[in-house]
Amino acid sequence: MAADCPGHPDALGTSRTLVVDPREHPRIGTMQYPETLPLEDHEVVLTFDDGPLPHNSNQVLDILASQCVKATFFTVGRMAQAYPEGVRKLRDAGHSIGAHTQNHPLSMNRMPVERARQEIDDGIASVKAALGDDAALAPFFRIPGLSRAEGVEDYLASQGIQTWSADFLADDWRHISSSRVYDLAMKRLEETGRGILLLHDIQARTVAALPRILHELKARGYRIVHVVPATSEQPATPTEPQQWQLHPPSETVAISHWPKIPNFVFAATDPLPAPALSDSYWHDDWPIPVAETSDRGKRRGVPPPRQAPWPRQTPLLPERAAIALPAPAPSVFEMQDRLRFALARASRPAEPAIAAGPEREPDGAKLVAADTGASRRTVAGKPHLERVRRASASDAGGRVTRHATHAGRRALKRVVQVRKRSV
Ligand SMILES: [Zn+2]
């Protein structure tokens, strides 16, 4: 690790190389598939998409080189055509190179399979052309935008190409700060504990975040794994199927795979003998004449008991209930004034503007005592108090509305006056 990184004793390094056979595991990345790379806890695989774009991709290469970290790059065919030297730099630095379509369409989940195939084939051809060496391109592929589609994945699998999703993202294509990229990468890694991280080497914020990410990976004890495809000379790293699951079932965690009910219970078809009355748990405390048994009981030869063996409940007499339950006091049904206001306000629609002049209050009408004293005070002694009082006799809510309406009108009037003056 550090020893393998001359001149950088504190480097993160690459802890091991994992050789995978795409034909055995054609779809990986738990963001979309059941399987992911067979990583140990605290092992991370770095992937970079969409390059090469010289300025940023070269900086990413320099940062990775300074830490002796090997990654996988998913290059876009059009970018490889524009910057073939950039693709060769990836190879020369010892990274794995996968394909990422020709034009990076974000609609592979919707486009006709024929067009998707064309994108895949053209992208692979462009990267191979840039490398000048077919074997230098790994049979790894990432669908742009992770817009997966069964037809696309099936085609890739038929070509012996492994479809790579991811286990976690750092959202580095979004308009966020580089420190946010760092935060998301570390936070999500802490949640998954290991996995494939998807980054973009064309993004300046990724370039800015990467040194801190690598430093923190080292500080927190994470290890980098470099993934390469199996060849005739280099066979796949031996693995167990459950290692390809991010969270394989554990013996200490309860799972809902219940054992199947065996068939032997239903295998015997011979009728069982009817139980004797003396075998029953309630036994025979009730002498049962045979004549009283039901037809069903007769047929089976097991007469039912005349009476249920469990105790009966004592019926409640209505007159006893009346005595036992006192009539509720009238105070139970009294409503608090504040609650009455709220109910009245909620149940009545807004009343029309005040039309009536001062009139005598109807007999029995009273101002309802409440904590709206402040409202009353604002109109105390003014002619319209009577109107307010009248309204409040039947509807306290309406009274509040009137105050508001009146105040609003006064305010409006003032605005109009001011405007007139200013004009
Ligand atoms: Zn992409």
Side-chain angles (χ1 to χ4, degrees):
M1 293 168 66
D4 296 332
C5 198
H8 300 94
D10 297 326
L12 172 60
T14 300
S15 71
R16 69 177 175 121
T17 299
L18 175 68
V19 187
V20 298
D21 185 346
R23 293 183 187 275
E24 287 177 8
H25 301 277
R27 302 168 198 193
I28 54 165
T30 46
M31 281 184 65
Q32 295 177 295
Y33 308 119
E35 286 194 337
T36 192
L37 290 169
L39 301 174
E40 301 291 327
D41 189 41
H42 273 62
E43 283 189 337
V44 179
V45 171
L46 297 180
T47 63
F48 296 90
D49 291 9
D50 296 1
L53 188 65
H55 182 67
N56 293 336
S57 300
N58 288 344
Q59 290 185 77
V60 166
L61 281 179
D62 290 344
I63 295 163
L64 295 177
S66 73
Q67 294 290 318
C68 290
V69 163
K70 296 284 187 275
T72 300
F73 287 77
F74 291 96
T75 53
V76 173
R78 219 169 45 185
M79 304 294 270
Q81 284 178 336
Y83 310 106
E85 186 59 33
V87 187
R88 290 193 284 273
K89 278 187 182 174
L90 300 175
R91 177 197 58 194
D92 297 344
H95 299 292
S96 296
I97 303 169
H100 194 41
T101 71
Q102 174 67 9
N103 299 294
H104 201 273
L106 291 170
S107 55
M108 287 191 89
N109 54 340
R110 300 190 300 274
M111 67 171 58
V113 171
E114 281 308 314
R115 224 189 111 203
R117 284 184 180 195
Q118 199 65 49
E119 276 289 345
I120 293 165
D121 293 346
D122 291 353
I124 289 170
S126 298
V127 180
K128 281 182 175 174
L131 290 165
D133 172 14
D134 287 5
L137 177 67
F140 300 159
F141 186 90
R142 182 170 274 151
I143 300 171
L146 302 182
S147 305
R148 62 169 294 269
E150 204 111 320
V152 175
E153 292 155 359
D154 288 348
Y155 175 66
L156 290 163
S158 74
Q159 303 298 301
I161 298 170
Q162 193 170 42
T163 304
W164 284 48
S165 182
D167 294 315
F168 62 110
L169 311 169
D171 296 7
D172 61 339
W173 68 96
R174 287 172 47 208
H175 295 288
I176 57 176
S177 68
S178 62
S179 67
R180 181 78 181 137
V181 170
Y182 161 83
D183 286 341
L184 289 173
M186 297 314 299
K187 189 172 151 243
R188 290 170 181 170
L189 175 55
E190 291 283 288
E191 282 166 14
T192 59
R194 59 190 163 122
I196 307 165
L197 170 60
L198 191 160
L199 293 168
H200 294 82
D201 54 312
I202 60 167
Q203 297 289 350
R205 67 179 65 84
T206 309
V207 174
L210 191 55
R212 208 172 150 209
I213 291 173
L214 298 183
H215 179 268
E216 198 61 20
L217 288 178
K218 166 104 179 172
R220 297 193 194 180
Y222 287 97
R223 302 178 305 280
I224 298 295
V225 174
H226 183 211
V227 185
V228 298
T231 60
S232 50
E233 300 86 48
Q234 196 173 22
T237 306
T239 54
E240 294 296 325
Q242 67 269 20
Q243 288 179 267
W244 292 77
Q245 293 170 5
L246 188 63
H247 300 292
S250 159
E251 282 185 348
T252 57
V253 176
I255 52 170
S256 59
H257 301 301
W258 302 105
K260 281 186 180 175
I261 298 168
N263 289 329
F264 65 82
V265 173
F266 310 103
T269 51
D270 293 341
L272 295 168
L277 188 58
S278 56
D279 294 338
S280 55
Y281 70 94
W282 36 268
H283 208 52
D284 194 8
D285 285 341
W286 302 274
I288 305 157
V290 174
E292 286 186 23
T293 60
S294 69
D295 286 349
R296 204 175 161 200
K298 275 180 198 165
R299 270 204 307 277
R300 291 188 177 179
V302 183
R306 226 170 6 176
Q307 202 176 3
W310 49 85
R312 289 184 182 279
Q313 285 190 333
T314 314
L316 269 178
L317 298 174
E319 60 269 27
R320 283 179 63 194
I323 293 162
L325 298 172
S331 61
V332 169
F333 301 102
E334 279 180 5
M335 203 186 285
Q336 284 185 358
D337 286 339
R338 199 177 294 191
L339 177 61
R340 201 200 317 261
F341 289 160
L343 287 173
R345 200 174 297 144
S347 62
R348 298 214 173 194
E351 291 199 354
I354 305 160
E359 283 175 24
R360 204 179 68 82
E361 283 178 9
D363 288 343
K366 290 177 193 167
L367 265 179
V368 182
D371 58 352
T372 50
S375 300
R376 277 207 304 282
R377 277 199 297 281
T378 58
V379 294
K382 301 210 171 169
H384 59 255
L385 179 59
E386 280 303 310
R387 294 202 298 268
V388 172
R389 281 189 164 209
R390 193 166 157 268
S392 66
S394 58
D395 179 11
R399 180 158 59 100
V400 175
T401 308
R402 280 184 181 84
H403 277 278
T405 309
H406 189 77
R409 276 175 14 188
R410 264 204 312 212
L412 185 63
K413 204 170 166 186
R414 204 160 46 238
V415 169
V416 171
Q417 284 168 351
V418 169
R419 286 222 170 146
K420 274 183 183 166
R421 243 180 275 142
S422 63
V423 169

